[in-house]
Amino acid sequence: MTIAGTESVQNVHRPVSPSWTGVVRYLHITPRAFLPMESFNDLTLVAGKGIVGDRYMIGQESGFYSHKPEDGRQITLFEIETLEALARDAKIQMLPEEHRRNVTVQGVPLNHLVGRQFWVGEALLEATRLSTPCRHIEEILGKAVFDPMINRAGLNCRILKGGVIHVGDIVRGA
Amino acid sequence: MAKPIKHLQAVVRSIDEPMPGIKRLVLADQDDWRLPAFHPGAHIDLHLDGGLTRTYSLCNDPADCRRYIVAVKKEDSGRGGSRYIHEQLRPGDKIGVSVPRSGMALAPTAMNIFIAGGIGVTPFVSAILALEREHKENYVLHWTSRGNPSLADMLQPAIRAGRVHLYNTLETAAPDIQSLVRHYGDDAKAFCCGPDRMLDAFEAAVAHWPDSRKHIERFVAPKLAPTPSAHPFTVVLAKSGREKEVLPEVGLLATLEEMGADVSVSCGGGICGACRTRWIEGPPIHRDRVLTPQEREKEVIVCVAGCAGSRLVLDI
């Protein structure tokens, strides 16, 4: 017997809700640990590898966490709504180049996408896990962002289908 | 498994010697990528061969974010960092560099009084270049040196504008610091970097000023006051669970070094902040000149800290 509302959530294969459609607001990469992220209008994604020129491109890793290899860290996303929340709730001004994720999106419920596939422009991504905040960002920024970013630090993804993505691209469920 | 990357990897683009005994290094990313931003008066650690870590003030304009410039005086009686830079470091060498730290909060409209002795001018060079770029004239530099000043080529516009007063102590007496700081009004802010005797005179001259109006940069760590009442305690590294007794005569820093703990150390005297570490249990006895009271609730400068309790648990 299953009590209503308590069925296991692990085995429920729900489609991504079609009720959201997001957009890419910013794209950033950096080639090596500690260096600032630079903004680009487009990025080239390579399936199963990463972003051309970024420090976590598999096979050419030079990031702060590269000594901990992770297949599901080929590209990372961050909600622009979190930046707004940090300003509103914690009075911390954090810029899109400061959260150190690659893609800043608007209107995308990232925390809902773990284990699911979605499109960013012509690229197909699979969300592998939530990103976690890290002291490394505090060290680089000199801003106390660790605690306010807990549970909203972005999303790590694997690239299933590569391509060139652009600022302004639509983000939608697969 | 690959080793963790703990520092920026910079390339030594050039080394010149603006005057004998002073080497000026220009550091950049290998592809000239933008470097982490810094504030006027900020400093970086250079991670040199042989495990040497030394802290130097950045002396280029903070707006010039594709390179870091530091000036290093050779100290033959020092601990070896400046000798390595003068005798072994070459253009093209790679060098580990920390993210810039600290800096000086300049008065936006009130007078900024910079008092420098010799190579102690370095933190003020970046500040003056920033002020000049913003066409601000609310500063004055009083710069004492034995002989010609060492980095005058970097401050030519300020010197031509009459905002730099040079005192060559081979030809004239060193200025009276008390008289230098008292003519700029009650909202002026004073900064000093130089040898101990100059810093002592400065501290005496501004003793009655509020802390928010004075700033001291030390390049020699002050000797710590003896603590005859210090007691042994156990330091615990939370992530590995390793622990070791800290004897008063050995101290926390040496104990951590014996343990091979992952702590970056530079000044060893509680003034540079390179070894700031999060603590979990203690409480620590703070003896640094870096952390604010709020920061001390979670962090500790381990190179000078003690422990008020029987166990100091560090989050490393």
Side-chain angles (χ1 to χ4, degrees):
Chain A
M1 185 179 76
T2 302
I3 300 172
T6 63
E7 65 269 27
S8 168
V9 296
Q10 285 88 353
N11 297 320
V12 177
H13 295 286
R14 292 175 298 209
V16 173
S17 167
S19 63
W20 62 268
T21 301
V23 63
V24 174
R25 288 299 183 204
Y26 299 94
L27 296 170
H28 289 92
I29 56 170
T30 190
R32 280 171 285 285
F34 295 101
L35 294 177
M37 305 289 283
E38 291 268 11
S39 176
F40 291 84
N41 287 325
D42 51 69
L43 296 176
T44 301
L45 278 51
V46 180
K49 295 288 187 183
I51 307 169
V52 174
D54 189 61
R55 76 280 199 203
Y56 288 119
M57 175 75 135
I58 292 174
Q60 302 168 32
E61 290 216 33
S62 54
F64 185 75
Y65 294 106
S66 289
H67 61 291
K68 299 175 180 176
E70 184 176 335
D71 178 60
R73 189 184 51 204
Q74 297 166 18
I75 184 170
T76 52
L77 291 84
F78 198 88
E79 294 181 10
I80 201 166
E81 292 84 355
T82 297
L83 301 181
E84 296 164 357
L86 289 174
R88 182 187 62 234
D89 302 337
K91 311 304 177 198
I92 295 172
Q93 297 295 327
M94 190 181 204
L95 302 173
E97 65 264 34
E98 293 182 325
H99 55 63
R100 300 190 73 78
R101 312 294 183 248
N102 302 116
V103 185
T104 304
V105 294
Q106 181 177 5
V108 183
L110 294 180
N111 283 20
H112 297 197
L113 299 182
V114 176
R116 299 179 182 180
Q117 299 178 7
F118 60 99
W119 293 93
V120 177
E122 66 183 28
L124 180 62
L125 308 184
E126 180 181 60
T128 54
R129 68 171 174 87
L130 296 182
S131 302
T132 50
C134 60
R135 298 288 178 199
H136 176 54
I137 290 184
E138 286 195 338
E139 180 187 6
I140 288 179
L141 297 184
K143 298 180 182 179
V145 295
F146 185 94
D147 288 351
M149 283 176 60
I150 291 172
N151 295 328
R152 50 186 178 185
L155 191 65
N156 285 20
C157 296
R158 184 180 291 119
I159 301 169
L160 301 180
K161 178 182 179 297
V164 178
I165 63 173
H166 310 80
V167 172
D169 276 354
I170 296 298
V171 185
R172 57 189 170 84
Chain B
M1 181 187 291
K3 287 184 177 178
I5 299 170
K6 294 185 176 180
H7 322 291
L8 277 166
Q9 282 297 311
V11 177
V12 180
R13 288 281 184 229
S14 65
I15 302 175
D16 74 342
E17 195 163 7
M19 66 181 295
I22 305 288
K23 293 264 180 146
R24 182 165 48 193
L25 315 181
V26 177
L27 311 172
D29 173 64
Q30 65 186 58
D31 297 325
D32 291 318
W33 194 269
R34 194 161 50 96
L35 297 170
F38 64 97
H39 299 292
H43 46 260
I44 55 173
D45 299 329
L46 301 186
H47 297 272
L48 309 169
D49 275 2
L52 296 172
T53 303
R54 295 294 177 264
T55 304
Y56 298 100
S57 295
L58 290 165
C59 49
N60 51 308
D61 184 345
D64 179 9
C65 56
R66 303 270 170 191
R67 60 187 184 154
Y68 292 153
I69 299 178
V70 295
V72 180
K73 181 181 181 182
K74 188 177 185 185
E75 301 281 2
D76 287 321
S77 59
R79 295 176 293 166
S82 69
R83 278 202 307 279
Y84 174 87
I85 289 169
H86 275 254
E87 296 171 3
Q88 297 187 48
L89 198 64
R90 297 285 180 267
D93 285 354
K94 289 196 170 180
I95 184 171
V97 176
S98 74
V99 172
R101 294 192 305 275
S102 305
M104 300 183 299
L106 303 175
T109 53
M111 199 62 174
N112 292 285
I113 310 161
F114 302 132
I115 298 173
I119 193 68
V121 76
T122 51
F124 305 133
V125 174
S126 64
I128 289 171
L129 291 174
L131 289 164
E132 287 287 331
R133 173 172 41 78
E134 296 169 2
H135 306 293
K136 289 189 171 180
E137 300 177 359
N138 60 321
Y139 75 89
V140 62
L141 168 63
H142 294 280
W143 186 3
T144 304
S145 61
R146 187 186 300 273
N148 292 322
S150 53
L151 297 170
D153 60 323
M154 301 183 79
L155 292 176
Q156 280 306 314
I159 293 171
R160 283 196 298 271
R163 291 189 274 275
V164 178
H165 300 269
L166 301 170
Y167 308 86
N168 180 348
T169 56
L170 296 179
E171 299 171 353
T172 183
D176 172 42
I177 291 178
Q178 179 79 50
S179 66
L180 294 182
V181 300
R182 70 180 169 205
H183 296 302
Y184 296 103
D186 291 340
D187 55 354
K189 192 163 182 179
F191 306 76
C192 186
C193 183
D196 282 345
R197 205 165 74 173
M198 170 177 272
L199 295 174
D200 291 344
F202 177 81
E203 283 189 306
V206 298
H208 59 291
W209 290 31
D211 289 346
S212 59
R213 288 182 51 215
K214 56 190 177 186
H215 179 110
I216 293 181
E217 289 275 326
R218 292 182 181 275
F219 45 70
V220 176
K223 285 193 171 76
L224 291 173
T227 51
S229 61
H231 60 85
F233 61 93
T234 300
V235 62
V236 181
L237 310 183
K239 291 183 179 170
S240 63
R242 289 189 298 141
E243 59 181 64
K244 191 172 177 67
E245 185 178 29
V246 179
L247 300 171
E249 62 271 26
V250 177
L252 176 58
L253 176 60
T255 306
L256 289 170
E257 289 176 338
E258 285 175 19
M259 298 171 78
D262 183 18
V263 173
S264 183
V265 178
S266 179
C267 77
I271 61 171
C272 79
C275 64
R276 65 192 296 166
T277 302
R278 297 182 68 80
W279 64 273
I280 297 168
E281 182 184 327
I285 297 172
H286 298 278
R287 302 169 75 200
D288 62 275
R289 301 183 182 209
V290 177
L291 300 180
T292 65
Q294 291 75 28
E295 291 171 329
R296 286 179 169 184
E297 292 175 5
K298 294 182 178 178
E299 296 178 286
V300 57
I301 301 297
V302 296
C303 68
V304 292
C307 182
S310 60
R311 278 162 46 96
L312 178 62
V313 182
L314 300 175
D315 189 15
I316 53 177

